Amino acid sequence: MAYHPRHMKWWGWGDEDAGFDSSAHPGFWPYAKAQLGVEGDDPRALPVPLDAVQLPEAGVNPRFLAELGAALHSGQICSSRHERVVHAYGKGFRDLYRLRRGSAEGAPDLVVYPENEDDVLVVLRAAAHHGVTVIPFGGGSNISGCVERMETQRMAVSLDMRRMRRVLAVDAESFTARAEAGVFGPDLEEQLGAHGMTLGHFPDSFLHSTLGGWIATRSAGMQSDRYGKIEDMVVALRMITPEGVLATRTVPKSSNGIDVNHLCIGSEGTLGVITEATMRVHPRPESRIVPAYLFPEFESGVEAMRECARAECAPSMARLNDPDKTALSLAFKPPSSRMSQAVNKIFKRYLRVRGFGLPRACLMLTAFEGPKSKVAGQMQEVENIYRRFGAVSLGTGSGKSFEATKYDFPHIRDFLLERNVTSDVSETATLWSNILPLYRATLAEIRAAIAESGVPPWAGCHISHTYQTGASVYFTFALKHQQGHEMEQYLRVKRAAQQSFMDHGATLSHHHAVGTEHLPWLAEDISPLGLKAVAALKQGLDPGNVMNPGRLQPARDAFGEWSRIGSSPEAKAEAAALLTRKSRA
């Protein structure tokens, strides 16, 4: 039976019938309004109708189309308005800001749905022969600008992989599974579950992202403390390039020179199309417990996480919110029953007796999973460490609330955009010794950049994805729009955050990829010689620059190009002035 792909809504996150239900979180919008200085409750900035979106005229390469038409069936080749708009962008702020206002200049000329590896070979060979560019497309959930068309001189094709969605083989004895790259998270887990297995990879985008997309962007799941990042899970893969098929052998480890798997992982569609991967999988856990804890302040929570990493007993998931993210979490909680409210009052009284100042207290969400014989012991070991750093247990209620809504958070951005509020994130990773200095400096930079536009700043942070040497540091920010200056506001804050990462010894991204959003900082992150190595690899596998042009190679005027993406002529001039002021400073 033919698989009919269901895309996310073109103007926002999730399925067409899904969105943020503010009545299920009655404290959220009053909290947001008070923090951001927003008046009014009704949505005022609704997206334009689909037929009002401005699309560039589709480029046509007749010989390329003829070659495709001879090899693929008509249902695989699409050029409708809806298909082109859906594939124009990912789901970053710039993407949604443009689409909601009716601009889709990044749209491809054509969308192609391969159904097997031979189809991918046909498309790439024809593209290389006829000078057509190809942009691999998974679920379209990327927020770093990895799928937008960056070149207009040549015909551009979006290669949507979602019809290649099968788990091809499971080796339960070796704990491996071979799957096609277009399989979405829920579909993958359902197929693995039939064999009693799980990949253990659950990013925020789990419902709307694919295995190939995870690999191409070095994704991290919520339970990476137990299962690792996606690059830790890849055993072997196959990638189709304009120069042919790149394939690696399915073995646990090897000493065969440069690791070719890792040349493909994180390549962001610039070298070829990942068509399948053999992944390390695990038996489905017998037990899962999701307790939450409250720390008296952020610093003690960070120290507790570090101690768990040192003792090698970290939970499957550990997510420490700073005071502002804790306040947001409390505002986001569902309505409470009268009995629950009474219990909360008693508990708050108890916390005051224990010396907790609630404005400084920090929420830690955790998950423990695995064999029943081990989970309880591990949780006890972790709780003993947490108590040494002043934490108190909140039970499993908060954890269960988080579990029930953990994939809903991206919907909030659509809700806020409709109310003229920008919300976005910048995340990084650094060493344990640098986490608190980086946190304090970056939070100050973000707040100052927001305040510079004359609106109240809101910013918070959480720590997650812990390792023996450090952890991920994830910042969230929000600000009220200055009408007509929304892009300038966003650029100012995003640049402040990213530059702070560079200035304080962190990386440009822990798991959101480079794309266009982080491209100006790539040379500083991997060195100019590192860029030269990437360029040499690109030349070897894609000499015609067919694959996703404009990625992983910053332009000479990197920040100028970065500031112009998605901006109106007026905003581009303002961004240029901003960059000039920054360079003088």
Side-chain angles (χ1 to χ4, degrees):
M1 189 191 317
Y3 173 63
H4 299 288
R6 186 181 185 188
H7 291 288
M8 283 194 276
K9 57 174 81 81
W10 61 267
W11 51 265
W13 186 266
D15 297 332
E16 291 284 349
D17 55 355
F20 177 67
D21 180 6
S22 59
S23 65
H25 308 276
F28 170 74
W29 183 230
Y31 170 81
K33 286 199 300 180
Q35 294 293 314
L36 301 172
V38 175
E39 298 179 358
D41 296 313
D42 297 328
R44 303 174 183 178
L46 297 175
V48 302
L50 177 62
D51 58 11
V53 175
Q54 296 180 357
L55 271 172
E57 184 177 350
V60 176
N61 186 313
R63 293 181 179 179
F64 171 76
L65 289 176
E67 194 165 335
L68 249 57
L72 308 179
H73 62 76
S74 60
Q76 294 178 266
I77 304 170
C78 308
S79 59
S80 70
R81 165 176 284 270
H82 179 260
E83 289 281 355
R84 293 183 65 205
V85 169
V86 162
H87 291 85
Y89 303 115
K91 299 299 180 185
F93 167 76
R94 293 201 225 203
D95 304 328
L96 298 184
Y97 180 80
R98 285 178 283 180
L99 281 175
R100 294 171 69 91
R101 284 158 178 76
S103 175
E105 68 269 20
D109 301 306
L110 192 71
V111 179
V112 176
Y113 290 93
E115 295 178 351
N116 50 58
E117 192 174 272
D118 287 342
D119 290 348
V120 177
L121 272 165
V122 165
V123 175
L124 265 60
R125 284 173 177 165
H129 186 238
H130 298 290
V132 172
T133 64
V134 177
I135 304 170
F137 192 96
S141 63
N142 181 264
I143 64 171
S144 297
C146 287
V147 299
E148 176 183 354
R149 175 187 192 167
M150 300 303 295
E151 182 189 304
T152 59
Q153 291 79 18
R154 295 181 285 177
M155 182 181 181
V157 172
S158 179
L159 196 69
D160 192 311
M161 298 295 291
R162 69 188 58 215
R163 296 189 189 180
M164 296 177 61
R165 57 189 279 265
R166 297 173 298 160
V167 171
L168 301 168
V170 174
D171 182 346
E173 186 176 358
S174 304
F175 302 105
T176 63
R178 186 165 62 94
E180 292 179 312
V183 63
F184 280 73
D187 203 357
L188 174 63
E189 284 297 316
E190 181 180 348
Q191 294 181 66
L192 291 177
H195 299 270
M197 295 290 177
T198 179
L199 181 63
H201 191 72
F202 301 97
D204 289 354
S205 62
F206 174 74
L207 301 178
H208 305 288
S209 53
T210 64
L211 175 62
W214 299 339
I215 295 171
T217 58
R218 290 191 179 271
S219 170
M222 296 182 192
Q223 295 169 197
S224 68
D225 295 63
R226 175 175 173 82
Y227 298 108
K229 285 187 72 196
I230 199 69
E231 60 261 37
D232 304 313
M233 305 176 183
V234 176
V235 178
L237 52 72
R238 291 177 64 85
M239 185 171 76
I240 310 304
T241 81
E243 291 293 290
V245 181
L246 186 155
T248 61
R249 191 174 290 266
T250 304
V251 293
K253 292 290 180 182
S254 63
S255 178
N256 56 3
I258 293 172
D259 188 344
V260 175
N261 279 338
H262 279 264
L263 299 182
C264 305
I265 299 167
S267 56
E268 300 186 18
T270 62
L271 304 179
V273 182
I274 298 167
T275 55
E276 68 175 61
T278 300
M279 308 298 291
R280 178 166 58 91
V281 295
H282 309 264
R284 288 210 158 184
E286 295 178 318
S287 176
R288 180 173 173 83
I289 307 174
V290 288
Y293 304 87
L294 200 67
F295 283 84
E297 72 283 313
F298 193 57
E299 291 78 3
S300 60
V302 171
E303 284 301 303
M305 296 179 87
R306 186 190 65 81
E307 180 61 20
C308 286
R310 187 199 64 80
E312 298 183 352
C313 65
S316 301
M317 181 194 79
R319 183 177 182 133
L320 174 68
N321 291 334
D322 78 348
D324 286 281
K325 282 293 289 289
T326 296
L328 178 62
S329 296
L330 294 175
F332 194 76
K333 66 181 182 180
S336 302
S337 65
R338 288 185 178 180
M339 180 173 290
S340 171
Q341 291 171 359
V343 171
N344 281 339
K345 288 181 180 178
I346 295 171
F347 186 68
K348 287 180 180 179
R349 214 172 293 136
Y350 164 75
L351 290 176
R352 284 194 292 271
V353 172
R354 287 284 304 270
F356 275 70
L358 285 181
R360 295 185 63 219
C362 294
L363 176 68
M364 172 85 85
L365 298 168
T366 66
F368 297 86
E369 67 174 45
K372 289 182 180 179
S373 60
K374 294 184 178 180
V375 166
Q378 183 194 12
M379 190 171 80
Q380 186 61 58
E381 187 176 1
V382 168
E383 284 194 350
N384 289 341
I385 291 172
Y386 286 1
R387 288 194 188 100
R388 279 168 37 206
F389 290 94
V392 297
S393 173
L394 301 179
T396 59
S398 296
K400 288 178 179 177
S401 294
F402 174 77
E403 292 274 291
T405 60
K406 62 186 177 183
Y407 299 129
D408 294 345
F409 290 105
H411 291 291
I412 296 175
R413 185 173 46 182
D414 299 333
F415 177 88
L416 292 175
L417 277 171
E418 290 174 356
R419 289 154 179 81
N420 290 313
V421 171
T422 292
S423 61
D424 210 86
V425 300
S426 278
E427 47 78 32
T428 186
T430 194
L431 299 174
W432 287 115
S433 59
N434 193 42
I435 283 180
L436 290 175
L438 173 74
Y439 162 72
R440 293 171 184 135
T442 303
L443 203 60
E445 291 287 347
I446 290 173
R447 287 172 173 163
I450 295 173
E452 192 176 334
S453 65
V455 297
W458 186 91
C461 178
H462 73 261
I463 310 294
S464 57
H465 307 293
T466 65
Y467 307 95
Q468 193 75 16
T469 55
S472 171
V473 188
Y474 195 114
F475 295 88
T476 304
F477 57 86
L479 61 153
K480 182 174 67 173
H481 287 172
Q482 281 186 323
Q483 295 300 318
H485 300 276
E486 297 90 344
M487 191 63 71
E488 181 188 356
Q489 287 180 291
Y490 168 77
L491 293 175
R492 181 186 290 115
V493 180
K494 186 69 175 177
R495 184 168 185 179
Q498 294 299 132
Q499 192 58 52
S500 181
F501 297 163
M502 294 294 100
D503 292 344
H504 295 92
T507 184
L508 58 80
S509 173
H510 172 260
H511 59 264
H512 282 160
V514 180
T516 54
E517 288 300 277
H518 307 135
L519 189 56
W521 292 273
L522 186 57
E524 192 171 355
D525 203 348
I526 69 172
S527 82
L529 192 59
L531 284 183
K532 189 174 180 179
V534 173
L537 188 63
K538 172 78 168 174
Q539 179 63 28
L541 296 181
D542 181 24
N545 196 23
V546 167
M547 300 304 308
N548 210 6
R551 295 332 188 281
L552 300 184
Q553 290 292 304
R556 288 187 178 180
D557 181 20
F559 283 103
E561 180 66 24
W562 177 82
S563 69
R564 288 187 287 270
I565 296 172
S567 297
S568 65
E570 296 79 14
K572 288 177 182 177
E574 290 170 353
L578 169 65
L579 290 166
T580 300
R581 292 198 299 273
K582 288 286 186 182
S583 62
R584 287 174 180 169

